[in-house]
Amino acid sequence: LPISTIYVLNIFVLPPTRVIAGNASSISGVGALKIVGLATGGASASDEYVLLEAEGGSVNLSLADVVYRSASGLTSRRLVDLALVSNGELAAGEKILIANSIGAFSVHAAATWSDGIAATGGAVMIRSRSDPSLIIDALAWGTALPAAGGEGAPATAPSST
């Protein structure tokens, strides 16, 4: 279910830290999907989430995946197949929360993942399902190398204290 309010812990502030990669405008039906929030941990290391928003148009969620890439860029894994989210579409301005399945935010999430994301560095990307090389939006943080994804320098990792 789309959400309108999230209470955040240890979150990256966007847009100054946003990194957009690829030519999102060429991906019909999903180019308006953006990463608008990311938490890498709160009271527990598993209190992780990614907040997505349909900015400027409706989004067909079945056309995209959310992936995590390690800070080195050597390993990646799909966090969530957005095609499995209940109604499959977000109207302009609607948000959707995805979260670690054992973290505090999972009870509010439309979809969950089971393995953690590193607080010290990495990247989360929204990618096209039909062509996984097309990155719609990405956010890299901390010790992430350019190979981890996105463009420009990664955002500073949040403090662990």
Side-chain angles (χ1 to χ4, degrees):
L1 297 173
I3 55 172
S4 59
T5 305
I6 293 291
Y7 297 96
V8 296
L9 300 171
N10 212 15
I11 187 170
F12 294 96
V13 179
L14 300 176
T17 58
R18 171 176 285 149
V19 180
I20 298 175
N23 185 1
S25 62
S26 68
I27 306 169
S28 178
V30 75
L33 189 59
K34 304 296 178 208
I35 299 168
V36 296
L38 173 78
T40 59
S44 128
S46 299
D47 292 342
E48 307 165 329
Y49 70 78
V50 177
L51 183 62
L52 308 174
E53 182 175 358
E55 293 184 347
S58 64
V59 172
N60 180 345
L61 294 175
S62 69
L63 301 175
D65 287 330
V66 177
V67 233
Y68 167 74
R69 189 169 290 157
S70 66
S72 67
L74 296 176
T75 59
S76 353
R77 69 177 184 278
R78 182 171 62 190
L79 292 178
V80 172
D81 178 353
L82 292 176
L84 301 177
V85 174
S86 62
N87 71 357
E89 189 163 323
L90 286 181
E94 284 187 319
K95 295 176 181 151
I96 192 165
L97 180 73
I98 60 174
N100 186 312
S101 62
I102 60 173
F105 299 104
S106 65
V107 297
H108 304 291
T112 60
W113 66 81
S114 58
D115 292 326
I117 59 177
T120 56
V124 171
M125 296 172 270
I126 304 168
R127 71 176 181 192
S128 167
R129 285 175 51 85
S130 63
D131 182 354
S133 67
L134 289 175
I135 304 302
I136 299 156
D137 198 18
L139 178 63
W141 66 93
T143 59
L145 298 174
E151 297 172 346
T156 303
S159 169
S160 60
T161 58

Coordinates of all heavy atoms in Angstrom, one line a residue, residues 38-83:
L38 N 16.3 6.5 2.4 CA 17.0 5.3 2.6 C 17.5 5.3 4.0 O 18.1 6.2 4.5 CB 18.2 5.1 1.6 CG 19.1 4.0 1.9 CD1 18.5 2.7 1.3 CD2 20.5 4.2 1.2
A39 N 17.2 4.2 4.8 CA 17.7 4.0 6.1 C 18.6 2.8 6.1 O 18.2 1.7 5.6 CB 16.6 3.9 7.1
T40 N 19.8 2.9 6.7 CA 20.7 1.8 6.8 C 20.7 1.1 8.2 O 21.5 0.2 8.4 CB 22.1 2.2 6.4 OG1 22.6 3.2 7.2 CG2 22.1 2.6 4.9
G41 N 19.9 1.6 9.1 CA 19.9 1.0 10.4 C 19.3 2.0 11.4 O 19.4 3.2 11.2
G42 N 18.7 1.5 12.5 CA 18.2 2.3 13.5 C 18.6 1.7 14.8 O 19.7 1.4 15.1
A43 N 17.6 1.3 15.6 CA 17.8 0.6 16.9 C 18.5 -0.7 16.7 O 19.3 -1.2 17.5 CB 16.5 0.4 17.6
S44 N 18.3 -1.3 15.5 CA 18.9 -2.6 15.2 C 19.5 -2.4 13.8 O 19.0 -1.6 13.0 CB 17.9 -3.7 15.2 OG 17.9 -4.5 14.0
A45 N 20.5 -3.2 13.4 CA 21.1 -3.1 12.1 C 20.1 -3.5 11.0 O 20.3 -3.2 9.8 CB 22.3 -4.1 12.0
S46 N 19.1 -4.2 11.4 CA 18.1 -4.7 10.4 C 17.0 -3.6 10.1 O 16.1 -3.8 9.3 CB 17.4 -6.0 10.8 OG 18.4 -7.0 10.9
D47 N 17.0 -2.5 10.8 CA 16.0 -1.4 10.7 C 16.4 -0.6 9.4 O 16.9 0.5 9.5 CB 16.0 -0.5 11.9 CG 15.4 -1.2 13.1 OD1 14.7 -2.3 12.9 OD2 15.6 -0.7 14.2
E48 N 16.2 -1.3 8.3 CA 16.6 -0.7 7.0 C 15.3 -0.5 6.1 O 14.4 -1.4 6.2 CB 17.5 -1.6 6.2 CG 18.7 -2.0 7.0 CD 19.5 -3.2 6.4 OE1 18.8 -4.1 5.8 OE2 20.7 -3.3 6.6
Y49 N 15.3 0.5 5.3 CA 14.3 0.6 4.3 C 14.7 1.5 3.1 O 15.7 2.2 3.2 CB 13.0 1.2 4.9 CG 13.0 2.6 5.4 CD1 12.9 3.7 4.4 CD2 13.1 2.9 6.7 CE1 12.9 5.0 4.8 CE2 13.2 4.3 7.1 CZ 13.0 5.3 6.2 OH 13.1 6.6 6.6
V50 N 13.9 1.4 2.1 CA 14.1 2.3 0.9 C 12.7 2.8 0.7 O 11.7 2.1 0.6 CB 14.6 1.5 -0.3 CG1 14.6 2.4 -1.5 CG2 15.9 0.9 -0.1
L51 N 12.6 4.1 0.5 CA 11.3 4.8 0.2 C 11.3 5.3 -1.2 O 12.3 6.0 -1.6 CB 11.1 6.0 1.2 CG 9.8 6.7 1.1 CD1 8.6 5.8 1.4 CD2 9.8 7.9 2.0
L52 N 10.3 4.9 -2.0 CA 10.2 5.2 -3.4 C 9.0 6.1 -3.6 O 8.0 6.0 -2.9 CB 10.1 3.9 -4.3 CG 11.1 2.8 -4.0 CD1 10.7 1.6 -4.8 CD2 12.5 3.3 -4.4
E53 N 9.1 7.0 -4.6 CA 8.0 7.9 -4.9 C 7.9 8.0 -6.4 O 8.8 8.1 -7.2 CB 8.3 9.3 -4.3 CG 7.1 10.2 -4.6 CD 7.3 11.6 -3.9 OE1 8.3 11.8 -3.2 OE2 6.4 12.4 -4.0
A54 N 6.6 8.1 -6.9 CA 6.3 8.4 -8.2 C 6.3 9.9 -8.4 O 5.4 10.6 -7.9 CB 4.9 7.8 -8.6
E55 N 7.3 10.5 -9.0 CA 7.4 11.9 -9.1 C 7.0 12.4 -10.5 O 7.7 11.9 -11.5 CB 8.8 12.4 -8.8 CG 9.2 12.2 -7.4 CD 10.6 12.7 -7.0 OE1 11.4 13.0 -8.0 OE2 10.9 12.8 -5.8
G56 N 6.0 13.2 -10.6 CA 5.7 13.8 -11.9 C 4.9 12.9 -12.9 O 4.6 13.3 -14.0
G57 N 4.5 11.7 -12.5 CA 3.7 10.8 -13.3 C 3.4 9.5 -12.6 O 4.1 9.2 -11.7
S58 N 2.5 8.7 -13.2 CA 2.2 7.4 -12.6 C 3.3 6.5 -13.0 O 3.9 6.7 -14.0 CB 0.8 6.9 -13.0 OG 0.8 6.7 -14.4
V59 N 3.4 5.4 -12.2 CA 4.5 4.4 -12.5 C 3.9 3.0 -12.5 O 3.2 2.7 -11.6 CB 5.6 4.6 -11.3 CG1 6.6 3.4 -11.4 CG2 6.2 5.9 -11.4
N60 N 4.3 2.2 -13.5 CA 4.0 0.8 -13.5 C 5.1 0.1 -12.8 O 6.2 -0.1 -13.4 CB 3.8 0.4 -15.0 CG 3.5 -1.0 -15.1 OD1 3.6 -1.8 -14.2 ND2 3.1 -1.4 -16.3
L61 N 4.8 -0.4 -11.6 CA 5.8 -1.0 -10.8 C 6.3 -2.4 -11.4 O 7.4 -2.8 -11.1 CB 5.3 -1.3 -9.4 CG 5.1 0.0 -8.6 CD1 4.4 -0.4 -7.2 CD2 6.3 0.8 -8.4
S62 N 5.5 -3.0 -12.2 CA 5.9 -4.3 -12.8 C 7.1 -4.2 -13.8 O 7.7 -5.2 -14.2 CB 4.7 -5.0 -13.5 OG 4.4 -4.2 -14.7
L63 N 7.5 -2.9 -14.1 CA 8.6 -2.7 -15.0 C 9.9 -2.5 -14.4 O 10.9 -2.3 -15.0 CB 8.3 -1.5 -15.9 CG 7.0 -1.5 -16.7 CD1 6.8 -0.2 -17.4 CD2 7.1 -2.7 -17.7
A64 N 10.0 -2.6 -13.0 CA 11.2 -2.3 -12.3 C 11.5 -3.3 -11.1 O 10.6 -3.9 -10.6 CB 11.2 -0.9 -11.8
D65 N 12.8 -3.3 -10.8 CA 13.3 -4.1 -9.6 C 14.1 -3.1 -8.8 O 14.6 -2.0 -9.3 CB 14.4 -5.1 -10.0 CG 13.8 -6.3 -10.7 OD1 12.6 -6.7 -10.4 OD2 14.5 -7.0 -11.5
V66 N 14.3 -3.4 -7.5 CA 15.2 -2.6 -6.7 C 16.3 -3.5 -6.3 O 16.1 -4.6 -5.8 CB 14.5 -2.1 -5.4 CG1 15.4 -1.3 -4.5 CG2 13.3 -1.2 -5.8
V67 N 17.5 -3.1 -6.6 CA 18.7 -3.9 -6.4 C 19.7 -3.2 -5.4 O 19.7 -2.0 -5.3 CB 19.5 -4.1 -7.7 CG1 19.8 -5.5 -7.9 CG2 19.0 -3.4 -8.8
Y68 N 20.5 -4.0 -4.7 CA 21.5 -3.5 -3.8 C 22.8 -4.0 -4.4 O 23.0 -5.1 -4.8 CB 21.4 -4.1 -2.4 CG 22.6 -3.9 -1.5 CD1 22.9 -2.6 -1.0 CD2 23.5 -4.9 -1.2 CE1 24.0 -2.4 -0.2 CE2 24.6 -4.7 -0.5 CZ 24.9 -3.5 0.0 OH 26.0 -3.3 0.8
R69 N 23.8 -3.1 -4.4 CA 25.2 -3.4 -4.9 C 26.1 -3.1 -3.8 O 26.1 -2.0 -3.2 CB 25.5 -2.7 -6.1 CG 26.8 -3.2 -6.7 CD 27.1 -2.7 -8.1 NE 26.2 -3.3 -9.1 CZ 25.8 -2.7 -10.2 NH1 26.4 -1.6 -10.6 NH2 25.0 -3.3 -11.0
S70 N 27.1 -4.0 -3.5 CA 28.1 -3.8 -2.5 C 28.9 -2.5 -2.8 O 29.0 -2.1 -3.9 CB 29.0 -5.0 -2.3 OG 29.8 -5.1 -3.5
A71 N 29.6 -2.0 -1.8 CA 30.5 -0.8 -1.9 C 31.5 -1.0 -3.0 O 31.9 -0.1 -3.7 CB 31.1 -0.4 -0.6
S72 N 32.0 -2.2 -3.1 CA 33.1 -2.5 -4.1 C 32.5 -2.6 -5.5 O 33.2 -2.5 -6.5 CB 33.8 -3.8 -3.8 OG 32.9 -4.9 -4.0
G73 N 31.2 -2.8 -5.6 CA 30.6 -3.0 -6.9 C 30.7 -4.4 -7.5 O 30.2 -4.7 -8.6
L74 N 31.3 -5.3 -6.7 CA 31.5 -6.6 -7.2 C 30.3 -7.6 -7.0 O 30.2 -8.6 -7.7 CB 32.8 -7.2 -6.5 CG 34.1 -6.5 -6.8 CD1 35.2 -7.2 -5.9 CD2 34.4 -6.6 -8.2
T75 N 29.5 -7.3 -6.1 CA 28.3 -8.2 -5.9 C 27.0 -7.3 -5.9 O 27.0 -6.2 -5.4 CB 28.4 -8.9 -4.5 OG1 28.5 -8.0 -3.4 CG2 29.6 -9.9 -4.5
S76 N 26.0 -7.9 -6.4 CA 24.7 -7.3 -6.4 C 23.6 -8.3 -6.2 O 23.9 -9.5 -6.4 CB 24.3 -6.6 -7.7 OG 25.2 -6.5 -8.6
R77 N 22.5 -7.9 -5.6 CA 21.4 -8.8 -5.5 C 20.1 -8.0 -5.5 O 20.1 -6.8 -5.2 CB 21.5 -9.6 -4.2 CG 21.3 -8.7 -2.9 CD 21.3 -9.6 -1.7 NE 21.1 -8.9 -0.5 CZ 22.0 -8.1 0.1 NH1 23.2 -8.1 -0.3 NH2 21.6 -7.4 1.2
R78 N 19.1 -8.6 -6.0 CA 17.8 -8.0 -6.1 C 17.2 -7.9 -4.7 O 17.1 -9.0 -4.0 CB 16.8 -8.7 -7.0 CG 15.5 -8.0 -7.1 CD 14.6 -8.6 -8.2 NE 14.3 -10.0 -8.0 CZ 13.8 -10.8 -8.8 NH1 13.4 -10.3 -10.0 NH2 13.5 -12.0 -8.6
L79 N 16.8 -6.7 -4.2 CA 16.1 -6.6 -2.9 C 14.6 -7.0 -3.1 O 14.1 -7.7 -2.3 CB 16.3 -5.2 -2.4 CG 17.7 -4.8 -1.9 CD1 17.6 -3.3 -1.5 CD2 18.2 -5.7 -0.8
V80 N 14.0 -6.3 -4.1 CA 12.6 -6.5 -4.2 C 12.2 -6.5 -5.7 O 12.7 -5.7 -6.5 CB 11.8 -5.3 -3.6 CG1 10.3 -5.3 -3.9 CG2 12.0 -5.4 -2.1
D81 N 11.4 -7.4 -6.1 CA 10.8 -7.5 -7.4 C 9.5 -6.6 -7.3 O 8.5 -7.1 -6.7 CB 10.5 -8.9 -7.8 CG 9.8 -9.0 -9.2 OD1 9.4 -8.0 -9.8 OD2 9.6 -10.2 -9.6
L82 N 9.5 -5.4 -7.9 CA 8.3 -4.5 -7.7 C 7.1 -5.1 -8.4 O 6.0 -4.6 -8.1 CB 8.7 -3.1 -8.2 CG 9.7 -2.4 -7.3 CD1 10.1 -1.1 -7.9 CD2 9.2 -2.2 -5.9
A83 N 7.2 -6.0 -9.3 CA 6.1 -6.6 -10.0 C 5.2 -7.4 -9.0 O 4.0 -7.6 -9.2 CB 6.5 -7.6 -11.1

